[in-house]
mmCIF file of all heavy atoms in Angstrom:
data_model
loop_
_atom_site.group_PDB
_atom_site.id
_atom_site.type_symbol
_atom_site.label_atom_id
_atom_site.label_comp_id
_atom_site.label_asym_id
_atom_site.label_seq_id
_atom_site.Cartn_x
_atom_site.Cartn_y
_atom_site.Cartn_z
ATOM 1 N N LYS A 91 1.437 -19.596 38.372
ATOM 2 C CA LYS A 91 2.891 -19.431 38.267
ATOM 3 C C LYS A 91 3.260 -17.961 38.050
ATOM 4 O O LYS A 91 4.230 -17.453 38.618
ATOM 5 C CB LYS A 91 3.435 -20.282 37.119
ATOM 6 C CG LYS A 91 3.382 -21.776 37.367
ATOM 7 C CD LYS A 91 3.926 -22.551 36.171
ATOM 8 C CE LYS A 91 3.908 -24.057 36.406
ATOM 9 N NZ LYS A 91 4.412 -24.808 35.203
ATOM 10 N N THR A 92 2.477 -17.278 37.206
ATOM 11 C CA THR A 92 2.722 -15.866 36.938
ATOM 12 C C THR A 92 2.547 -15.040 38.208
ATOM 13 O O THR A 92 3.370 -14.159 38.516
ATOM 14 C CB THR A 92 1.755 -15.356 35.845
ATOM 15 O OG1 THR A 92 2.183 -15.859 34.588
ATOM 16 C CG2 THR A 92 1.741 -13.827 35.779
ATOM 17 N N CYS A 93 1.497 -15.318 38.949
ATOM 18 C CA CYS A 93 1.254 -14.576 40.194
ATOM 19 C C CYS A 93 2.397 -14.777 41.182
ATOM 20 O O CYS A 93 2.801 -13.832 41.881
ATOM 21 C CB CYS A 93 -0.059 -15.035 40.823
ATOM 22 S SG CYS A 93 -1.534 -14.459 39.947
ATOM 23 N N GLN A 94 2.930 -15.982 41.250
ATOM 24 C CA GLN A 94 4.039 -16.251 42.169
ATOM 25 C C GLN A 94 5.273 -15.440 41.792
ATOM 26 O O GLN A 94 5.948 -14.865 42.660
ATOM 27 C CB GLN A 94 4.375 -17.745 42.160
ATOM 28 C CG GLN A 94 5.301 -18.162 43.297
ATOM 29 C CD GLN A 94 4.646 -17.999 44.657
ATOM 30 O OE1 GLN A 94 3.648 -18.647 44.942
ATOM 31 N NE2 GLN A 94 5.204 -17.122 45.493
ATOM 32 N N ILE A 95 5.567 -15.360 40.500
ATOM 33 C CA ILE A 95 6.711 -14.568 40.044
ATOM 34 C C ILE A 95 6.483 -13.089 40.341
ATOM 35 O O ILE A 95 7.400 -12.378 40.792
ATOM 36 C CB ILE A 95 6.958 -14.786 38.537
ATOM 37 C CG1 ILE A 95 7.408 -16.213 38.263
ATOM 38 C CG2 ILE A 95 7.991 -13.784 37.998
ATOM 39 C CD1 ILE A 95 7.537 -16.559 36.794
ATOM 40 N N LEU A 96 5.269 -12.607 40.085
ATOM 41 C CA LEU A 96 4.975 -11.190 40.341
ATOM 42 C C LEU A 96 5.148 -10.844 41.821
ATOM 43 O O LEU A 96 5.658 -9.775 42.159
ATOM 44 C CB LEU A 96 3.555 -10.857 39.876
ATOM 45 C CG LEU A 96 3.300 -10.919 38.370
ATOM 46 C CD1 LEU A 96 1.835 -10.608 38.059
ATOM 47 C CD2 LEU A 96 4.202 -9.943 37.621
ATOM 48 N N VAL A 97 4.740 -11.736 42.694
ATOM 49 C CA VAL A 97 4.881 -11.504 44.131
ATOM 50 C C VAL A 97 6.341 -11.592 44.558
ATOM 51 O O VAL A 97 6.840 -10.728 45.289
ATOM 52 C CB VAL A 97 4.031 -12.526 44.924
ATOM 53 C CG1 VAL A 97 4.392 -12.487 46.408
ATOM 54 C CG2 VAL A 97 2.550 -12.232 44.742
ATOM 55 N N ASP A 98 7.039 -12.615 44.089
ATOM 56 C CA ASP A 98 8.422 -12.846 44.512
ATOM 57 C C ASP A 98 9.412 -11.847 43.931
ATOM 58 O O ASP A 98 10.352 -11.419 44.620
ATOM 59 C CB ASP A 98 8.863 -14.261 44.116
ATOM 60 C CG ASP A 98 8.109 -15.347 44.870
ATOM 61 O OD1 ASP A 98 7.494 -15.026 45.901
ATOM 62 O OD2 ASP A 98 8.134 -16.512 44.415
ATOM 63 N N LYS A 99 9.199 -11.457 42.678
ATOM 64 C CA LYS A 99 10.202 -10.648 41.989
ATOM 65 C C LYS A 99 9.802 -9.195 41.788
ATOM 66 O O LYS A 99 10.670 -8.311 41.720
ATOM 67 C CB LYS A 99 10.510 -11.283 40.627
ATOM 68 C CG LYS A 99 11.686 -10.658 39.893
ATOM 69 C CD LYS A 99 12.044 -11.460 38.651
ATOM 70 C CE LYS A 99 13.242 -10.857 37.930
ATOM 71 N NZ LYS A 99 13.637 -11.670 36.749
ATOM 72 N N TYR A 100 8.498 -8.922 41.721
ATOM 73 C CA TYR A 100 8.059 -7.565 41.379
ATOM 74 C C TYR A 100 7.126 -6.943 42.416
ATOM 75 O O TYR A 100 6.430 -5.975 42.130
ATOM 76 C CB TYR A 100 7.352 -7.579 40.010
ATOM 77 C CG TYR A 100 8.255 -7.991 38.874
ATOM 78 C CD1 TYR A 100 8.194 -9.291 38.362
ATOM 79 C CD2 TYR A 100 9.178 -7.104 38.318
ATOM 80 C CE1 TYR A 100 9.025 -9.688 37.322
ATOM 81 C CE2 TYR A 100 10.011 -7.486 37.284
ATOM 82 C CZ TYR A 100 9.932 -8.783 36.789
ATOM 83 O OH TYR A 100 10.761 -9.171 35.758
ATOM 84 N N GLN A 101 7.154 -7.481 43.633
ATOM 85 C CA GLN A 101 6.328 -6.949 44.717
ATOM 86 C C GLN A 101 4.847 -6.840 44.323
ATOM 87 O O GLN A 101 4.127 -5.926 44.740
ATOM 88 C CB GLN A 101 6.840 -5.570 45.184
ATOM 89 C CG GLN A 101 8.234 -5.568 45.791
ATOM 90 C CD GLN A 101 9.339 -5.726 44.746
ATOM 91 O OE1 GLN A 101 9.376 -4.977 43.776
ATOM 92 N NE2 GLN A 101 10.221 -6.685 44.951
ATOM 93 N N GLY A 102 4.414 -7.771 43.523
ATOM 94 C CA GLY A 102 3.013 -7.820 43.137
ATOM 95 C C GLY A 102 2.630 -6.919 41.984
ATOM 96 O O GLY A 102 1.464 -6.880 41.589
ATOM 97 N N GLU A 103 3.597 -6.211 41.412
ATOM 98 C CA GLU A 103 3.325 -5.298 40.303
ATOM 99 C C GLU A 103 3.645 -5.962 38.971
ATOM 100 O O GLU A 103 4.483 -6.867 38.894
ATOM 101 C CB GLU A 103 4.157 -4.014 40.445
ATOM 102 C CG GLU A 103 3.878 -3.220 41.711
ATOM 103 C CD GLU A 103 2.463 -2.693 41.756
ATOM 104 O OE1 GLU A 103 1.936 -2.278 40.694
ATOM 105 O OE2 GLU A 103 1.858 -2.696 42.849
ATOM 106 N N VAL A 104 2.986 -5.496 37.915
ATOM 107 C CA VAL A 104 3.245 -6.011 36.567
ATOM 108 C C VAL A 104 4.404 -5.231 35.954
ATOM 109 O O VAL A 104 4.361 -3.993 35.921
ATOM 110 C CB VAL A 104 1.995 -5.866 35.682
ATOM 111 C CG1 VAL A 104 2.304 -6.281 34.238
ATOM 112 C CG2 VAL A 104 0.846 -6.698 36.239
ATOM 113 N N PRO A 105 5.447 -5.898 35.485
ATOM 114 C CA PRO A 105 6.583 -5.184 34.885
ATOM 115 C C PRO A 105 6.176 -4.462 33.610
ATOM 116 O O PRO A 105 5.302 -4.930 32.876
ATOM 117 C CB PRO A 105 7.597 -6.294 34.600
ATOM 118 C CG PRO A 105 6.770 -7.543 34.499
ATOM 119 C CD PRO A 105 5.640 -7.360 35.468
ATOM 120 N N ASN A 106 6.822 -3.330 33.354
ATOM 121 C CA ASN A 106 6.487 -2.542 32.158
ATOM 122 C C ASN A 106 7.543 -2.664 31.077
ATOM 123 O O ASN A 106 7.732 -1.753 30.272
ATOM 124 C CB ASN A 106 6.267 -1.078 32.523
ATOM 125 C CG ASN A 106 7.526 -0.434 33.098
ATOM 126 O OD1 ASN A 106 8.537 -1.112 33.310
ATOM 127 N ND2 ASN A 106 7.466 0.856 33.367
ATOM 128 N N THR A 107 8.227 -3.812 31.057
ATOM 129 C CA THR A 107 9.218 -4.077 30.016
ATOM 130 C C THR A 107 8.870 -5.384 29.314
ATOM 131 O O THR A 107 8.256 -6.283 29.911
ATOM 132 C CB THR A 107 10.640 -4.206 30.599
ATOM 133 O OG1 THR A 107 10.689 -5.369 31.456
ATOM 134 C CG2 THR A 107 11.019 -2.964 31.389
ATOM 135 N N ARG A 108 9.259 -5.481 28.063
ATOM 136 C CA ARG A 108 9.002 -6.706 27.307
ATOM 137 C C ARG A 108 9.700 -7.900 27.959
ATOM 138 O O ARG A 108 9.127 -8.981 28.083
ATOM 139 C CB ARG A 108 9.491 -6.551 25.868
ATOM 140 C CG ARG A 108 9.192 -7.779 25.009
ATOM 141 C CD ARG A 108 9.772 -7.633 23.604
ATOM 142 N NE ARG A 108 9.306 -6.425 22.966
ATOM 143 C CZ ARG A 108 8.090 -6.287 22.450
ATOM 144 N NH1 ARG A 108 7.234 -7.285 22.516
ATOM 145 N NH2 ARG A 108 7.736 -5.156 21.861
ATOM 146 N N GLU A 109 10.937 -7.693 28.384
ATOM 147 C CA GLU A 109 11.702 -8.782 28.977
ATOM 148 C C GLU A 109 11.011 -9.304 30.233
ATOM 149 O O GLU A 109 10.887 -10.516 30.449
ATOM 150 C CB GLU A 109 13.119 -8.316 29.314
ATOM 151 C CG GLU A 109 13.987 -7.964 28.115
ATOM 152 C CD GLU A 109 13.587 -6.641 27.453
ATOM 153 O OE1 GLU A 109 12.952 -5.797 28.132
ATOM 154 O OE2 GLU A 109 13.898 -6.464 26.261
ATOM 155 N N GLY A 110 10.552 -8.376 31.068
ATOM 156 C CA GLY A 110 9.886 -8.771 32.301
ATOM 157 C C GLY A 110 8.588 -9.508 32.044
ATOM 158 O O GLY A 110 8.277 -10.504 32.697
ATOM 159 N N LEU A 111 7.829 -9.035 31.084
ATOM 160 C CA LEU A 111 6.549 -9.666 30.773
ATOM 161 C C LEU A 111 6.723 -11.043 30.144
ATOM 162 O O LEU A 111 6.027 -11.996 30.493
ATOM 163 C CB LEU A 111 5.732 -8.767 29.843
ATOM 164 C CG LEU A 111 5.113 -7.527 30.489
ATOM 165 C CD1 LEU A 111 4.614 -6.559 29.421
ATOM 166 C CD2 LEU A 111 3.976 -7.913 31.428
ATOM 167 N N GLU A 112 7.670 -11.162 29.217
ATOM 168 C CA GLU A 112 7.825 -12.418 28.489
ATOM 169 C C GLU A 112 8.436 -13.530 29.333
ATOM 170 O O GLU A 112 8.441 -14.688 28.911
ATOM 171 C CB GLU A 112 8.640 -12.190 27.216
ATOM 172 C CG GLU A 112 7.874 -11.395 26.163
ATOM 173 C CD GLU A 112 8.593 -11.311 24.831
ATOM 174 O OE1 GLU A 112 9.724 -11.836 24.733
ATOM 175 O OE2 GLU A 112 8.024 -10.739 23.890
ATOM 176 N N GLU A 113 8.934 -13.208 30.517
ATOM 177 C CA GLU A 113 9.423 -14.272 31.389
ATOM 178 C C GLU A 113 8.277 -14.907 32.183
ATOM 179 O O GLU A 113 8.450 -15.950 32.824
ATOM 180 C CB GLU A 113 10.476 -13.739 32.368
ATOM 181 C CG GLU A 113 9.914 -12.897 33.491
ATOM 182 C CD GLU A 113 10.960 -12.557 34.550
ATOM 183 O OE1 GLU A 113 11.704 -13.471 34.962
ATOM 184 O OE2 GLU A 113 11.022 -11.392 34.941
ATOM 185 N N LEU A 114 7.103 -14.317 32.120
ATOM 186 C CA LEU A 114 5.961 -14.842 32.851
ATOM 187 C C LEU A 114 5.341 -16.011 32.086
ATOM 188 O O LEU A 114 5.198 -15.949 30.866
ATOM 189 C CB LEU A 114 4.916 -13.743 33.056
ATOM 190 C CG LEU A 114 5.405 -12.487 33.802
ATOM 191 C CD1 LEU A 114 4.314 -11.422 33.790
ATOM 192 C CD2 LEU A 114 5.794 -12.849 35.231
ATOM 193 N N PRO A 115 4.969 -17.082 32.771
ATOM 194 C CA PRO A 115 4.389 -18.257 32.106
ATOM 195 C C PRO A 115 3.133 -17.907 31.310
ATOM 196 O O PRO A 115 2.238 -17.229 31.804
ATOM 197 C CB PRO A 115 4.045 -19.183 33.277
ATOM 198 C CG PRO A 115 5.024 -18.804 34.342
ATOM 199 C CD PRO A 115 5.168 -17.312 34.212
ATOM 200 N N GLY A 116 3.095 -18.363 30.062
ATOM 201 C CA GLY A 116 1.938 -18.111 29.218
ATOM 202 C C GLY A 116 1.963 -16.784 28.495
ATOM 203 O O GLY A 116 1.105 -16.522 27.649
ATOM 204 N N VAL A 117 2.932 -15.946 28.798
ATOM 205 C CA VAL A 117 3.017 -14.621 28.169
ATOM 206 C C VAL A 117 4.008 -14.663 27.020
ATOM 207 O O VAL A 117 5.208 -14.829 27.228
ATOM 208 C CB VAL A 117 3.436 -13.530 29.181
ATOM 209 C CG1 VAL A 117 3.586 -12.180 28.469
ATOM 210 C CG2 VAL A 117 2.427 -13.428 30.307
ATOM 211 N N GLY A 118 3.485 -14.526 25.804
ATOM 212 C CA GLY A 118 4.342 -14.450 24.632
ATOM 213 C C GLY A 118 4.458 -13.020 24.155
ATOM 214 O O GLY A 118 4.032 -12.073 24.832
ATOM 215 N N ARG A 119 4.986 -12.855 22.988
ATOM 216 C CA ARG A 119 5.215 -11.515 22.447
ATOM 217 C C ARG A 119 3.901 -10.751 22.251
ATOM 218 O O ARG A 119 3.819 -9.568 22.558
ATOM 219 C CB ARG A 119 5.969 -11.607 21.116
ATOM 220 C CG ARG A 119 6.392 -10.241 20.561
ATOM 221 C CD ARG A 119 7.232 -10.389 19.309
ATOM 222 N NE ARG A 119 7.688 -9.089 18.833
ATOM 223 C CZ ARG A 119 8.769 -8.465 19.275
ATOM 224 N NH1 ARG A 119 9.509 -9.009 20.220
ATOM 225 N NH2 ARG A 119 9.133 -7.287 18.799
ATOM 226 N N LYS A 120 2.876 -11.444 21.756
ATOM 227 C CA LYS A 120 1.609 -10.758 21.514
ATOM 228 C C LYS A 120 1.000 -10.241 22.810
ATOM 229 O O LYS A 120 0.583 -9.083 22.897
ATOM 230 C CB LYS A 120 0.616 -11.696 20.827
ATOM 231 C CG LYS A 120 -0.691 -11.007 20.432
ATOM 232 C CD LYS A 120 -1.715 -11.979 19.879
ATOM 233 C CE LYS A 120 -2.333 -12.799 20.986
ATOM 234 N NZ LYS A 120 -3.455 -13.637 20.498
ATOM 235 N N THR A 121 0.946 -11.088 23.826
ATOM 236 C CA THR A 121 0.387 -10.668 25.112
ATOM 237 C C THR A 121 1.185 -9.520 25.704
ATOM 238 O O THR A 121 0.614 -8.542 26.225
ATOM 239 C CB THR A 121 0.364 -11.855 26.100
ATOM 240 O OG1 THR A 121 -0.489 -12.875 25.584
ATOM 241 C CG2 THR A 121 -0.140 -11.424 27.469
ATOM 242 N N ALA A 122 2.501 -9.621 25.627
ATOM 243 C CA ALA A 122 3.354 -8.549 26.149
ATOM 244 C C ALA A 122 3.075 -7.239 25.421
ATOM 245 O O ALA A 122 2.972 -6.170 26.045
ATOM 246 C CB ALA A 122 4.823 -8.939 26.006
ATOM 247 N N ASN A 123 2.931 -7.315 24.110
ATOM 248 C CA ASN A 123 2.672 -6.108 23.326
ATOM 249 C C ASN A 123 1.336 -5.472 23.693
ATOM 250 O O ASN A 123 1.207 -4.248 23.736
ATOM 251 C CB ASN A 123 2.700 -6.432 21.831
ATOM 252 C CG ASN A 123 4.102 -6.508 21.278
ATOM 253 O OD1 ASN A 123 5.045 -5.978 21.859
ATOM 254 N ND2 ASN A 123 4.261 -7.172 20.149
ATOM 255 N N VAL A 124 0.319 -6.297 23.943
ATOM 256 C CA VAL A 124 -0.989 -5.759 24.320
ATOM 257 C C VAL A 124 -0.883 -4.983 25.627
ATOM 258 O O VAL A 124 -1.383 -3.858 25.749
ATOM 259 C CB VAL A 124 -2.030 -6.894 24.473
ATOM 260 C CG1 VAL A 124 -3.321 -6.341 25.080
ATOM 261 C CG2 VAL A 124 -2.335 -7.524 23.125
ATOM 262 N N VAL A 125 -0.234 -5.565 26.612
ATOM 263 C CA VAL A 125 -0.095 -4.906 27.917
ATOM 264 C C VAL A 125 0.756 -3.638 27.808
ATOM 265 O O VAL A 125 0.412 -2.596 28.369
ATOM 266 C CB VAL A 125 0.504 -5.874 28.957
ATOM 267 C CG1 VAL A 125 0.752 -5.162 30.282
ATOM 268 C CG2 VAL A 125 -0.427 -7.066 29.173
ATOM 269 N N LEU A 126 1.851 -3.728 27.080
ATOM 270 C CA LEU A 126 2.740 -2.569 26.928
ATOM 271 C C LEU A 126 2.037 -1.416 26.234
ATOM 272 O O LEU A 126 2.176 -0.253 26.618
ATOM 273 C CB LEU A 126 3.990 -2.970 26.140
ATOM 274 C CG LEU A 126 4.967 -3.909 26.852
ATOM 275 C CD1 LEU A 126 6.067 -4.357 25.897
ATOM 276 C CD2 LEU A 126 5.578 -3.236 28.079
#
Side-chain angles (χ1 to χ4, degrees):
K91 291 179 179 178
T92 286
C93 287
Q94 193 65 63
I95 293 174
L96 293 178
V97 168
D98 293 343
K99 189 172 181 177
Y100 297 101
Q101 296 74 53
E103 299 296 322
V104 175
N106 62 355
T107 65
R108 183 184 305 284
E109 294 73 23
L111 286 167
E112 290 187 357
E113 74 172 314
L114 302 174
V117 177
R119 187 175 183 85
K120 185 186 75 173
T121 297
N123 280 340
V124 171
V125 175
L126 291 173

